[in-house]
Amino acid sequence: GEVSLLLPMSMLTALLLPAASYVLQRAGPPLLRSPPVRGFAAARGARPAMAEAAEEKRATADVIPGMVAMEASPATVRAPGCPSCEVEWVAKSKDVEGTEAERLAALRGSDMAAYIGEIWEYGQHMNDTQRQELALTPDMECRRFVIDASTPPTPLMEAVYNATMVRVPYEQACYVCGPEQAMLLRTLVAIARPRQALDIGCFTGYASSAIVDALPRSAQLTCLEVEPTWTGLASELLEGRAASFETGPAIETLRRFEEEGRRFDFVSLDADKPMHGEYYNASLRLLRPGGVLVMFGMLLFPTVEDQQAMEALHEVLPNDTRVSTAQLPVGCGIQLIVKTEEVDPAAPPLHYASQRADGSVGGLASQPPADGDAAQLERTRRVILQ
């Protein structure tokens, strides 16, 4: 029996070890998942029962017995000019992989059945959590072509991206959206030309930089983030730009905006995936008719509860009569959504104000849209101001 397994075992070990750091992180404190590093699930008291249930399920669905957990890094921002956090992470993961290789070698020598069982468990785990990722393994040449065929990132976008990769621990920095996603986001904002834009889950501000660089001159971006460390870095990197920051659970902030009568023209959503359904509905209530919502993380998921949450949205979105939507396989997957509720294509265009001439924004959601000559006047004024 064992002799016939020696060659396959070397191949299986080669498959297992490169993913060791991924598996190790899943067995311990959250690293490659949204809460609490990124998004708004850190405020447990504000989470609905469905999110808590997903959290409880993680304990059984996301852990492979026997794996040694890699210690999670806290939300940390290094000083400018520090050695690359990515280099540090690679060295750290290599140390952990070496330790895991020794453990697996010892297990193979003492208990072949247990060794094979761990490989089987890992395969099952990948099947449960990474089906889309395995099926959509990125073609790096194609990705480079897509990036090279797009308008290059602005100096601000480059500065924010590079600061994230250098100053933020890599296991957290890898949550930043891909450059091709940021380029698409910037183009969508340039098309929509919003006066009031909202970024839910701004992290270090990379997506925010893509939005703010495409905003009309008189427009404003509001950025939401639960982790004060990330808000501090994002506000530092976007200092002097038309962006304001709110730190705290997003769902509470969105409810406050609704109470204040705020209205937005454009929303970017990339936060903790188990809460995306809640954020989606709250965003639609704030979004003006004809407004645009861009949702990230629709195809690739690092955790079981992320996959379950997003697959539920896959069922809901195509059948939601309030919107028109399409999904694009860009990066981790992008959902483009236009709010069609209260929009009559056959009627004359209406103008929904999201910002007054003096810059104030409160109470506009309850105001009726301008029509006829008044709507045309507002559209003309916006073109002049932009």
Side-chain angles (χ1 to χ4, degrees):
E2 184 172 336
V3 174
S4 64
L5 289 173
L6 288 179
L7 181 59
M9 284 302 102
S10 64
M11 297 172 64
L12 288 170
T13 302
L15 290 172
L16 184 62
L17 290 181
S21 62
Y22 173 83
V23 177
L24 297 176
Q25 295 166 47
R26 334 255 317 121
L31 283 178
L32 292 184
R33 58 182 63 146
S34 301
V37 172
R38 170 154 171 54
F40 303 93
R44 297 291 178 86
R47 301 180 73 188
M50 61 179 290
E52 294 294 351
E55 185 76 22
E56 182 178 351
K57 183 169 184 177
R58 177 187 305 162
T60 57
D62 253 7
V63 175
I64 298 177
M67 293 294 181
V68 180
M70 181 180 287
E71 182 181 355
S73 298
T76 305
V77 175
R78 310 287 179 84
C82 73
S84 171
C85 292
E86 181 177 1
V87 173
E88 178 184 287
W89 168 251
V90 170
K92 179 181 176 182
S93 64
K94 290 297 182 184
D95 289 342
V96 176
E97 286 180 13
T99 302
E100 183 64 8
E102 294 177 5
R103 186 188 72 81
L104 290 172
L107 181 62
R108 177 185 170 187
S110 63
D111 190 342
M112 179 63 74
Y115 178 75
I116 296 174
E118 283 206 18
I119 295 174
W120 173 261
E121 287 292 327
Y122 174 73
Q124 290 295 103
H125 174 80
M126 290 295 288
N127 185 61
D128 288 341
T129 63
Q130 297 294 297
R131 290 196 298 270
Q132 288 84 352
E133 186 164 353
L134 292 173
L136 299 172
T137 301
D139 181 334
M140 296 309 296
E141 290 301 320
C142 178
R143 189 182 183 206
R144 291 191 189 97
F145 178 83
V146 169
I147 292 174
D148 291 343
S150 303
T151 302
T154 63
L156 176 65
M157 293 170 65
E158 282 282 87
V160 175
Y161 185 87
N162 291 334
T164 302
M165 289 300 162
V166 172
R167 299 175 59 187
V168 174
Y170 186 66
E171 65 271 29
Q172 299 163 353
C174 65
Y175 260 123
V176 73
C177 74
E180 67 273 38
Q181 292 180 303
M183 293 171 180
L184 175 59
L185 183 63
R186 176 186 59 187
T187 302
L188 293 171
V189 173
I191 294 171
R193 300 194 67 77
R195 295 289 297 280
Q196 286 290 310
L198 179 63
D199 186 10
I200 305 173
C202 70
F203 189 33
T204 59
Y206 182 48
S208 301
S209 71
I211 295 172
V212 80
D213 260 355
L215 284 178
R217 185 176 57 212
S218 59
Q220 179 73 24
L221 171 65
T222 303
C223 308
L224 310 186
E225 174 58 54
V226 72
E227 174 54 59
T229 302
W230 307 143
T231 307
L233 178 59
S235 60
E236 171 193 330
L237 297 174
L238 271 65
E239 184 178 5
R241 306 306 293 263
S244 61
F245 296 85
E246 298 261 359
T247 304
I251 199 65
E252 295 180 6
T253 305
L254 296 174
R255 287 169 181 159
R256 173 165 56 82
F257 286 167
E258 189 174 359
E259 292 172 358
E260 294 172 353
R262 295 285 299 272
R263 181 185 280 156
F264 292 90
D265 308 293
F266 189 98
V267 177
S268 172
L269 172 53
D270 188 12
D272 50 314
K273 302 305 179 282
M275 285 290 290
H276 262 215
E278 299 287 332
Y279 298 148
Y280 167 69
N281 284 312
S283 297
L284 280 188
R285 291 193 294 271
L286 291 169
L287 197 63
R288 67 164 174 82
V292 177
L293 169 60
V294 180
M295 196 182 306
F296 291 77
M298 299 302 297
L299 289 175
L300 306 182
F301 326 112
T303 68
V304 172
E305 74 273 15
D306 285 5
Q307 177 174 326
Q308 291 171 338
M310 302 315 281
E311 286 182 346
L313 278 174
H314 290 168
E315 297 294 324
V316 170
L317 292 174
N319 301 303
D320 191 337
T321 58
R322 300 173 296 176
V323 303
S324 176
T325 185
Q327 189 173 118
L328 300 178
V330 179
C332 60
I334 284 181
Q335 194 84 24
L336 301 182
I337 302 167
V338 177
K339 183 176 177 179
T340 56
E341 187 178 25
E342 300 180 36
V343 174
D344 181 0
L350 302 176
H351 174 76
Y352 292 87
S354 58
Q355 178 178 314
R356 297 184 180 87
D358 61 3
S360 60
V361 294
L364 288 172
S366 61
Q367 299 297 311
D371 58 6
D373 292 342
Q376 182 59 46
L377 178 63
E378 285 297 328
R379 287 194 294 273
T380 301
R381 187 174 68 84
R382 286 182 62 176
V383 170
I384 294 173
L385 289 174
Q386 293 168 2

